Amino acid sequence: MHLLHATAPTVSDTPPAASPLKSFGRFELRALLSKSARSLIWLVHDPRHGQALMLCMPREKPNSAAALEHWLRMAHGGERVQHPNVAPVFEIGQVESWPYVAYDRGLGETLEERLARQKAPLPLDAANWIAQLLEGLAFAHEAGHAHRDIQTASLVIDAQDKVRLVGLEVAQEVFPASVDFNTVTRRAVRESAEEDVLCVGLLLNRILSGRPVLEENDLQQVVQQMQPIGRELVRLGWETPHPIPDPLRAICNRATDRQLRQRYHLARSFWRALDGWRQAAAYDSGGPIVLLLDKLQRGGHLPTTISGLHRFTAGSGLETQHASALSEFVLKDMALSLELVRRVNNALKQAGHAGETVLNMQRAIQMLGLDGLQFAANGLKPWPGTLAPVAAELLRQLMARVTKAAEVAQALRPAGYDGEVVQLITVMQNLGRLLLQYHFPDDAQQIRQLMVPPEPTEDQPNPPAMSEQAAAYAVLGCDLEALGAAVARHWGLGDELLQMIRRQPLDAPVHPPRTDADTIRLTCSFANELVDALGLPEPRRRPGVEVATRRYAKALGVGLREVMEALNPGAHKPSTAAPRTGDTAAPAPSLRQRLTQRSGS
């Protein structure tokens, strides 16, 4: 039954004129702000209070007294949801069994009105609005309430760009008149919450693209046309009013992915990804980076697997014969190696040696001394740290892969390059991945799940998998390289090292190195790509190794034979790397001196 009676407006495709003769109970109807298949939003004047209000009401009248009672009970429950991004309710009432929720018009204009006035908001503004909406929506969902009809008029924005959600619990699900509402409410809220999150993703697409999704204003109609219900795909196009940063594009596309398992299921997860990018884009730090640095401060970077260090060093001086043995011992433990790098370079930075970096472990041990080494080891959490057994096993597997990549990089390094430096650069090219797995294992698992190829369809028999970078964008709002670089910068590593720990992008051509730093960066990137290829399913393993080899062969002067020897631990000894035929990269004692010695020593 639609809203039709003597004192109320007729619901039709044409909004009624803003005339005081049109009324709904005591309210004078001024304009229809929104109309969807499930709800209406009217701008009205309330003569009793002398102010403008927004009335949100269901599109259809509750079909029984029990249904009306249930509607009012749920609406009053939504009224008790107090959050800065949920609009406070002015009044809940009914007119001839038509229920409504009223809000103060002074809260701001609707998003629909803002988009009519400002057709092309900046991507950062869009992310800011949607992030605020998600904060309020997540709080409401966690309190057991859903919206069920999020539209462009469901959020109001004030002059300071503060966003509030209106219409909570207005568009309630319609059940048969005889249903027991107590048995269906929980299920309805849970399912409707996921639909709310999808509609927020459609809102983000609408703002960024500058036009209605699928040329349809009612987002509920869009949902019905999308896979898996319909046949339409919703992805953010490339013709947008402003360039869309890759992380924001990945977040938007994940929210409306054709595969249900790839989408955000919780408003809180969607918010975390969007807020992470929003803060990073606005302040060049923040979001997951700030959270990670805080965890490093309180819990260290990685747990240590080492034991017996005190017995190994007891009675030893700093004689030369012990330095190499200690270095070899320390390098077997990734956490202790990174901790010594952090401590020695932090000390250099505080001493005023700007731009100077130590990555040679023997040199770091000599500078810190045995007491400093023991103190560093004692400051690390023992394995597995804070991790549950399953997450600890995943971290162990990741560390084993990184260790393998470091061995391969040492085997492939040109003659004259310091093996310890190459090993540590290879590890630090994976720093973001390692830290994510330890400190945010649930996020790491989400990223892995997004990288699984979607189910094939008739239209896409071989659907591509999401890249690690795109998956990280969709979960965190930033990529893993940015996490690792932020931590390395926090540790006091210089700009040259920050450049070396960035892997060669997979979609960028590999050019011959022009500097020693380029040579090391490319060698370590090559090794990491080779080990990634070894992690592929068996039929794709050898082709993956060959693809990586072709990418780097000309730049580094290597062939498949050298690569296969490096991948076989018994075929090549890293400490005896020999010049290769046609190798144009010169030995680099100057780089080793810069990396391992203090100026003037």
Side-chain angles (χ1 to χ4, degrees):
M1 178 178 178
H2 290 292
L3 185 57
L4 290 168
H5 56 77
T7 59
T10 299
V11 174
S12 64
D13 292 336
T14 304
S19 166
L21 298 178
K22 301 287 187 177
S23 62
F24 176 70
R26 76 173 191 269
F27 304 110
E28 300 170 358
L29 302 176
R30 297 295 172 85
L32 182 63
L33 297 179
S34 175
K35 179 182 68 174
S36 72
R38 293 184 178 179
S39 65
L40 301 167
I41 301 180
W42 285 94
L43 174 63
V44 304
H45 176 70
D46 180 9
R48 178 184 299 174
H49 298 94
Q51 68 181 93
L53 298 174
M54 291 181 292
L55 291 191
C56 299
M57 61 186 69
R59 185 69 184 270
E60 294 193 10
K61 190 175 184 178
N63 54 18
S64 68
L68 176 60
E69 180 184 354
H70 172 75
W71 192 100
L72 292 171
R73 183 169 62 252
M74 294 298 290
H76 281 292
E79 180 184 19
R80 290 191 290 271
V81 176
Q82 303 292 315
H83 188 274
N85 298 116
V86 176
V89 172
F90 180 83
E91 179 181 300
I92 296 175
Q94 56 175 303
V95 174
E96 298 182 10
S97 298
W98 279 98
Y100 64 85
V101 178
Y103 297 91
D104 185 356
R105 174 62 166 177
L107 293 174
E109 60 186 342
T110 67
L111 174 61
E112 188 168 342
E113 292 173 306
R114 174 66 68 93
L115 293 178
R117 183 171 59 82
Q118 182 185 352
K119 294 188 179 299
L122 294 173
L124 191 58
D125 290 335
N128 180 39
W129 297 339
I130 298 299
Q132 291 185 67
L133 169 62
L134 286 167
E135 278 198 270
L137 189 63
F139 188 84
H141 287 171
E142 290 156 6
H145 294 278
H147 190 284
R148 299 184 182 83
D149 192 32
I150 289 180
Q151 305 285 346
T152 50
S154 299
L155 55 157
V156 292
I157 310 172
D158 66 14
Q160 287 74 44
D161 274 353
K162 182 177 180 63
V163 169
R164 296 178 179 89
L165 175 68
V166 300
L168 191 64
E169 292 290 6
V170 166
Q172 296 176 29
E173 189 170 353
V174 177
F175 297 106
S178 59
V179 77
D180 180 1
F181 289 99
N182 292 324
T183 64
V184 299
T185 299
R186 186 177 300 276
R187 177 188 61 81
V189 169
R190 184 177 63 250
E191 295 175 358
S192 297
E194 288 197 17
E195 187 180 87
D196 285 350
V197 176
L198 173 59
C199 287
V200 175
L202 294 173
L203 271 186
L204 181 59
N205 183 297
R206 164 70 181 88
I207 301 170
L208 296 177
S209 66
R211 55 180 177 270
V213 183
L214 301 182
E215 305 303 323
E216 175 65 62
N217 288 318
D218 187 344
L219 297 186
Q220 288 298 326
Q221 299 298 323
V222 177
V223 171
Q224 296 303 311
Q225 296 179 53
M226 291 176 64
Q227 296 184 16
I229 302 173
R231 298 185 58 85
E232 296 292 339
L233 294 174
V234 175
R235 294 184 66 82
L236 188 61
W238 296 98
E239 295 182 1
T240 55
H242 302 284
I244 307 300
D246 288 342
L248 185 57
R249 180 178 294 276
I251 292 168
C252 184
N253 285 336
R254 181 191 174 188
T256 62
D257 196 280
R258 70 181 181 89
Q259 293 276 343
L260 292 179
R261 67 179 179 84
Q262 300 285 68
R263 296 174 186 168
Y264 298 104
H265 297 287
L266 298 175
R268 187 72 64 190
S269 299
F270 193 173
W271 172 79
R272 283 192 62 197
L274 195 59
D275 189 63
W277 174 80
R278 181 174 63 99
Q279 292 192 44
Y283 310 111
D284 196 30
S285 63
I289 294 175
V290 165
L291 291 175
L292 178 57
L293 293 179
D294 179 64
K295 283 182 174 287
L296 293 180
Q297 188 75 23
R298 293 184 285 110
H301 47 275
L302 292 172
T304 179
T305 58
I306 208 166
S307 61
L309 180 63
H310 178 72
R311 293 192 301 273
F312 188 88
T313 60
S316 300
L318 278 176
E319 295 84 2
T320 305
Q321 63 267 29
H322 293 298
S324 60
L326 273 174
S327 174
E328 182 179 352
F329 184 75
V330 168
L331 283 169
K332 291 179 180 178
D333 186 78
M334 203 172 288
L336 184 54
S337 301
L338 293 173
E339 178 64 9
L340 293 188
V341 169
R342 185 191 73 81
R343 286 177 180 266
V344 74
N345 287 289
N346 220 14
L348 284 175
K349 183 179 180 181
Q350 293 177 1
H353 297 279
E356 193 176 343
T357 306
V358 171
L359 282 182
N360 178 277
M361 199 52 60
Q362 293 186 44
R363 180 61 180 162
I365 294 171
Q366 289 171 351
M367 292 175 62
L368 294 174
L370 289 180
D371 288 342
L373 173 58
Q374 186 69 59
F375 189 72
N378 292 342
L380 296 172
K381 288 187 178 295
W383 185 269
T386 60
L387 291 179
V390 173
E393 174 59 20
L394 291 171
L395 177 60
R396 186 198 64 77
Q397 294 175 11
L398 176 59
M399 293 171 74
R401 288 178 61 185
V402 173
T403 300
K404 174 67 175 178
E407 294 171 355
V408 173
Q410 290 187 80
L412 292 174
R413 77 186 192 277
Y417 285 82
D418 191 315
E420 292 186 359
V421 172
V422 169
Q423 177 175 345
L424 285 167
I425 290 295
T426 307
V427 171
M428 296 192 72
Q429 284 188 348
N430 293 279
L431 186 59
R433 296 165 184 83
L434 291 163
L435 296 177
L436 182 75
Q437 179 58 53
Y438 181 52
H439 291 289
F440 303 106
D442 292 341
D443 290 336
Q445 179 64 19
Q446 276 197 64
I447 291 172
R448 284 190 293 272
Q449 290 174 344
L450 289 177
M451 293 171 64
V452 176
E455 296 293 330
T457 63
E458 292 183 7
D459 298 333
Q460 285 190 309
N462 297 298
M466 188 179 291
S467 69
E468 182 186 57
Q469 184 184 61
Y473 286 155
V475 173
L476 302 171
C478 69
D479 63 13
L480 302 186
E481 299 282 353
L483 281 182
V487 172
R489 189 180 298 111
H490 182 67
W491 286 352
L493 301 186
D495 291 339
E496 187 176 43
L497 266 295
L498 290 174
Q499 178 61 29
M500 281 196 288
I501 66 174
R502 283 196 171 274
R503 283 197 195 183
Q504 179 71 7
L506 292 174
D507 57 354
V510 181
H511 299 293
R514 293 182 292 181
T515 64
D516 295 330
D518 281 348
T519 299
I520 290 182
R521 185 180 71 85
L522 291 179
T523 301
C524 298
S525 294
F526 184 23
N528 278 311
E529 286 186 32
L530 289 171
V531 172
D532 286 344
L534 293 181
L536 296 172
E538 179 63 35
R540 298 168 53 196
R541 201 167 295 167
R542 175 76 182 223
V545 169
E546 293 175 351
V547 167
T549 302
R550 285 195 296 270
R551 263 172 52 83
Y552 289 89
K554 184 176 180 181
L556 295 177
V558 296
L560 190 58
R561 180 180 63 82
E562 290 94 344
V563 168
M564 298 310 294
E565 289 177 352
L567 292 175
N568 183 349
H572 187 76
K573 295 182 179 180
S575 60
T576 59
R580 296 186 283 268
T581 304
D583 191 356
T584 59
S590 59
L591 178 64
R592 296 204 317 277
Q593 291 172 358
R594 292 201 303 275
L595 294 175
T596 63
Q597 296 182 10
R598 300 170 69 176
S599 58
S601 61

